[in-house]
Amino acid sequence: MVQEQAERASAQTAGLPPDLEIETRAAELRSQLQKASYAYYVLDAPELPDSVYDRLYRELQTLEDQYPGLQTSDSPTQRVGAEPAEQFTSVRHNIPLYSLENAFDTEEYLDWQARWQRLEPDVGETTAVAELKIDGNALALTYENGMLIRGVTRGDGIAGEDITQNVRTIRTIPLRLHIENGQAPPPVVEVRGEAFLPLDVFDDINQKRQAEGTALFANPRNAAAGTLRQLDAKIVAERQLDFFAYTVLMPEGTGDLDAPTTQWTALDLLQTLRFRVNPHRKLCQRAAEVASYYDEWEEKRHDLPYLTDGVVVKLDSFELQDRLGFTNKFPRWAIALKYPAEEVPTTLNKITVQVGRTGAITPVAELSPVQLAGTTVSRATLHNADRLIELDLHLGDTVVVRKAGEIIPEVVRVLSDLRPKGAKAYQLPTNCPVCDQPVVKPEGEAVTRCVNQSCPAILSGSLRHWASRDALDISGLGERLVQSWIDQSVVTSIADLYDLTLEDLLPLERMGKQLANKLLQAIALSKQKPWAKVLYGLGIRLVGSTNAQILANRFPSVAMLAAADESVIAQIYGIGPEIAQSVRQWFQLPANQQLIARLEAAGLQLEATPQKIDQRPQPLMGKSFVLTGTLPTLKRAEAKAQIQAAGGRVSGAPSAKTDYVVVGENAGSKQAKADELGLKQLTEAELIELLSSS
């Protein structure tokens, strides 16, 4: 069916509308894919195998490419597709997005209840909804006639940042409200909820950042906040944010829907509209039930796949909520019943130092074991030398420890009044604890590094990174085996892997013939991995998997990248001067040049396959364009494609960073903005001339 539809579409004359059969098929595909996505991401009950979903997705994508008029804003193909934003704009909330008053125990909760009851003395105890308080970032989503048109951060509660492009990447946020039986959607619906990072996703992100030599996120909440403010939606999509909806507002009527009258029915409606709603909610008749719910989840929350730092309690009746209204800061009808931050004191016995793949020196506190957030903690990160200076640690100090994001134990502060007499201040070693070579602290960086590429610790990290799934994917080459091979001098370089034979491996401890053959086969298969994977596997500092792909696309061979001028690399969109400097420095080291030569001799893929190589000149490299109006001969998509093929990038709106605005008929506000900013304006003919320059 996919091939048949594509052939039929290809045979159409450009610009003609699709026939009814193709329109119907596109609508069917959108509906099926939306249903499958809801089942997978929200219900956690997949209905389609991945291969079937991918096939249907490609069919829809083919139809939309052939007939742009078929493309709708709620199409699954449109979750990620916009150009990176230049900046975020401030948007005033339709209804203020208030934060909640906090209570830190059930006694303070009862005080809050007494306060609102004084305003409504005839109500007494009433039904309330208890929900887990997700430790994330509040969002306000606006739907017009059922379609998502805007996603805004909380900001100061009065206005937030318009991050619609990023919100569209979150799979648990529907692009279109699910309203059954052809009913009319409300003119305007505002849904509010919390965007967050699941703990396993957060852990994966930090592992990758550590492998890339970049700073780790302190906790999932900060990581989610940083993700939401990324200007490139593709990066947001990669980080797999999730979303729980917790309220719905209909300021301009309800269409054919019945408006909820309580918080409980609002949550039910959100589920009907195909939002993800936290399942661990409870309808409580009395304060004692709220207290029981709060106590129950104080321990159980540690088993959840996301962070929660308390319980939100809302009076169930919307009518009562309206009567109670707001203070100048908070709603009177809701409160956040927070769990106390879990921090415990313990004794600092010693400080050890770990050396990572990039040579980063990380001090680690060795502590007297304590119970923290349900686990026994005896070690905690101290991050870097700057943090050591800030803490002013002395051996024997009493330190306060907490779990950063309830995951990574860290030392928060020192109780210096309890410091033993004669305690010695700790100094980070000036030599690497593994290879004993001098360490360095580059200017402007917080991280101290070992720069000896022969250091066993760096070699161990490099080998594990090379074998990782996102790099060369050498199955079976795990941490223990790598360390064993290093200890026995079986390998002293990544390239040594490709010289190993069965005779080399069989004498090793716990190495049978079957395991040895499997490892050799996995190593041999890694030679088929594409150039971008090899580049990522080299472990160049700051070059993650995405940057490696960008560089491999621009420089389709290792020779081209090694010879590239730093300024040329820095101009590539998404790279910049810091990564360019790191790449250039890496290729200048003789040891790395020898490594490349050995990998090439071993048969690794150090250039892209011929069909992927694009050697056309790129006269527009680093230039930014905006297209506006109707061009005489080129369609907007064609002009955009030609600009991008020549190395330029196309943005949605003019800014001070825009180099050229290409102007056609009926240009409108973008041309006016270009005039205001004094930007260079081009006709289509001038654009074509620019494209043809070399």
Side-chain angles (χ1 to χ4, degrees):
M1 182 66 175
V2 178
Q3 184 177 357
E4 189 179 301
Q5 291 282 12
E7 288 176 353
R8 184 186 311 167
S10 297
Q12 299 283 335
T13 302
L16 288 180
D19 59 33
L20 181 59
E21 182 181 351
I22 292 177
E23 285 186 355
T24 302
R25 178 60 178 168
E28 290 172 347
L29 289 168
R30 281 195 298 273
S31 177
Q32 180 65 51
L33 291 169
Q34 287 163 352
K35 182 182 177 185
S37 184
Y38 172 72
Y40 184 92
Y41 291 104
V42 179
L43 301 181
D44 197 22
E47 293 182 349
L48 292 179
D50 288 349
S51 59
V52 175
Y53 183 95
D54 291 343
R55 185 173 180 273
L56 296 177
Y57 184 95
R58 285 196 300 272
E59 181 181 350
L60 177 60
Q61 199 169 41
T62 299
L63 292 177
E64 291 180 346
D65 287 344
Q66 293 294 333
Y67 299 102
L70 289 176
Q71 198 176 89
T72 61
S73 61
D74 67 325
S75 173
T77 65
Q78 298 305 296
R79 280 201 177 270
V80 185
E83 288 295 310
E86 296 286 346
Q87 61 184 24
F88 296 124
T89 57
S90 179
V91 176
R92 192 175 182 86
H93 290 297
N94 296 325
I95 302 168
L97 211 169
Y98 289 90
S99 57
L100 298 179
E101 182 180 359
N102 291 327
F104 290 96
D105 53 39
T106 51
E107 184 175 341
E108 290 186 3
Y109 170 77
L110 292 174
D111 289 342
W112 166 78
Q113 180 173 269
R115 288 199 299 275
W116 72 255
Q117 284 177 334
R118 283 196 291 271
L119 298 174
E120 293 287 337
D122 297 332
V123 174
E125 280 209 296
T126 187
T127 304
V129 177
E131 306 168 54
L132 295 180
K133 184 179 181 296
I134 307 303
D135 194 11
N137 301 91
L139 296 179
L141 313 175
T142 301
Y143 291 79
E144 289 186 0
N145 298 314
M147 302 289 286
L148 176 66
I149 65 155
R150 187 177 297 114
V152 182
T153 62
R154 179 197 296 278
D156 62 3
I158 303 301
E161 289 182 315
D162 186 339
I163 57 166
T164 308
Q165 184 171 310
N166 293 343
V167 165
R168 292 175 64 85
T169 71
I170 304 175
R171 298 284 181 170
T172 42
I173 293 178
L175 302 180
R176 178 196 289 269
L177 300 177
H178 177 71
I179 300 175
E180 298 176 340
N181 304 323
Q183 293 178 310
V188 178
V189 171
E190 185 162 313
V191 173
R192 292 177 172 181
E194 203 83 2
F196 64 95
L197 274 176
L199 295 178
D200 60 342
V201 175
F202 171 74
D203 191 42
D204 286 345
I205 290 171
N206 262 353
Q207 286 184 23
K208 288 181 180 178
R209 291 176 72 86
Q210 187 171 31
E212 294 166 5
T214 53
L216 302 187
F217 287 121
N219 54 59
R221 188 179 191 279
N222 288 353
T227 299
L228 288 169
R229 299 199 75 255
Q230 285 284 334
L231 294 175
D232 190 345
K234 290 184 175 63
I235 296 175
V236 183
E238 289 172 1
R239 292 190 182 168
Q240 302 174 56
L241 287 166
D242 208 335
F243 181 79
F244 279 130
Y246 56 66
T247 195
V248 58
L249 307 165
M250 300 182 189
E252 297 181 18
T254 63
D256 290 336
L257 295 179
D258 293 329
T261 59
T262 65
Q263 173 64 12
W264 193 258
T265 56
L267 295 173
D268 287 342
L269 174 60
L270 285 167
Q271 283 189 302
T272 300
L273 297 174
R274 290 194 171 169
F275 285 92
R276 190 174 183 207
V277 176
N278 195 291
H280 305 299
R281 57 190 186 274
K282 184 175 182 181
L283 192 61
C284 302
Q285 305 296 330
R286 298 179 302 279
E289 291 180 53
V290 172
S292 175
Y293 178 89
Y294 174 76
D295 292 341
E296 174 189 358
W297 281 102
E298 184 168 11
E299 290 301 323
K300 288 172 62 176
R301 67 193 174 105
H302 299 303
D303 298 325
L304 292 169
Y306 46 82
L307 290 184
T308 176
D309 57 354
V311 170
V312 173
V313 183
K314 300 174 185 173
L315 300 182
D316 191 36
S317 168
F318 283 176
E319 181 185 358
L320 180 56
Q321 289 184 15
D322 289 340
R323 294 205 307 266
L324 288 171
F326 299 81
T327 69
N328 61 343
K329 291 185 178 180
F330 311 116
R332 292 191 176 94
W333 41 266
I335 194 166
L337 187 50
K338 302 285 288 290
Y339 293 117
E342 194 164 355
E343 298 181 348
V344 294
T346 186
T347 303
L348 174 67
N349 297 322
K350 64 178 181 177
I351 295 176
T352 56
V353 175
Q354 295 178 341
V355 184
R357 173 182 62 80
T358 63
I361 304 291
T362 304
V364 177
E366 304 287 345
L367 310 165
S368 297
V370 286
Q371 285 293 310
L372 179 62
T375 61
T376 301
V377 170
S378 59
R379 308 176 83 228
T381 182
L382 294 167
H383 299 293
N384 52 50
D386 289 350
R387 182 61 174 156
L388 282 176
I389 294 170
E390 182 183 344
L391 288 169
D392 184 29
L393 284 170
H394 289 57
L395 298 182
D397 272 344
T398 299
V399 297
V400 176
V401 184
R402 72 177 175 200
K403 283 192 176 181
E406 299 186 10
I407 299 175
I408 305 168
E410 67 175 355
V411 174
V412 182
R413 59 186 178 276
V414 178
L415 302 180
S416 54
D417 291 346
L418 301 179
R419 177 170 292 157
K421 289 183 179 179
K424 294 182 178 180
Y426 177 80
Q427 299 291 329
L428 199 67
T430 56
N431 284 45
C432 173
V434 178
C435 69
D436 201 36
Q437 294 298 304
V439 297
V440 300
K441 187 173 183 292
E443 187 177 351
E445 290 190 19
V447 178
T448 304
R449 297 184 188 278
C450 172
V451 293
N452 172 24
Q453 293 304 304
S454 299
C455 176
I458 295 176
L459 176 59
S460 174
S462 298
L463 284 167
R464 286 184 279 113
H465 176 71
W466 179 264
S468 65
R469 185 172 58 183
D470 288 341
L472 280 295
D473 194 18
I474 303 176
S475 178
L477 193 58
E479 183 174 356
R480 287 187 180 180
L481 191 58
V482 164
Q483 194 58 53
S484 172
W485 286 5
I486 292 173
D487 293 342
Q488 298 175 71
S489 299
V490 176
V491 292
T492 58
S493 161
I494 289 168
D496 288 346
L497 293 173
Y498 299 94
D499 294 334
L500 292 174
T501 65
L502 191 62
E503 289 71 25
D504 294 325
L505 297 183
L506 286 179
L508 301 177
E509 186 179 355
R510 297 182 181 178
M511 184 61 65
K513 188 173 182 179
Q514 185 177 5
L515 176 57
N517 278 322
K518 281 186 176 179
L519 281 167
L520 291 173
Q521 184 180 16
I523 291 169
L525 286 173
S526 72
K527 295 181 182 181
Q528 301 173 17
K529 294 295 180 182
W531 159 227
K533 295 279 189 181
V534 176
L535 177 56
Y536 172 61
L538 291 174
I540 301 172
R541 193 168 70 89
L542 303 180
V543 178
S545 56
T546 300
N547 292 331
Q549 186 65 62
I550 293 171
L551 288 168
N553 290 342
R554 178 65 181 87
F555 303 102
S557 73
V558 69
M560 293 176 67
L561 181 57
D565 187 84
E566 185 178 318
S567 62
V568 173
I569 301 173
Q571 288 178 12
I572 300 171
Y573 186 73
I575 300 299
E578 192 174 3
I579 296 174
Q581 183 183 50
S582 179
V583 171
R584 191 75 190 123
Q585 289 175 344
W586 192 93
F587 278 104
Q588 286 177 332
L589 289 174
N592 293 333
Q593 294 168 6
Q594 293 170 16
L595 172 63
I596 292 298
R598 290 188 62 192
L599 292 175
E600 187 172 21
L604 274 293
Q605 302 297 313
L606 297 178
E607 62 179 40
T609 52
Q611 63 267 27
K612 292 184 178 178
I613 297 177
D614 185 355
Q615 296 182 340
R616 290 175 293 178
Q618 300 215 319
L620 306 185
M621 174 59 65
K623 300 298 183 182
S624 175
F625 290 75
V626 170
L627 302 171
T628 182
T630 304
L631 301 178
T633 62
L634 290 174
K635 291 184 178 179
R636 185 80 62 90
E638 292 171 341
K640 180 178 179 181
Q642 290 189 33
I643 290 169
Q644 291 175 332
R649 67 180 187 270
V650 179
S651 303
S655 74
K657 296 181 180 180
T658 302
D659 294 294
Y660 300 103
V661 178
V662 183
V663 180
E665 292 184 10
N666 303 316
S669 60
K670 292 182 183 180
Q671 185 178 21
K673 184 67 172 178
D675 291 335
E676 179 185 331
L677 295 172
L679 301 176
K680 174 71 173 177
Q681 298 182 32
L682 303 176
T683 63
E684 181 188 283
E686 289 170 328
L687 171 64
I688 293 172
E689 183 180 351
L690 198 60
L691 287 164
S692 63
S693 63
S694 58

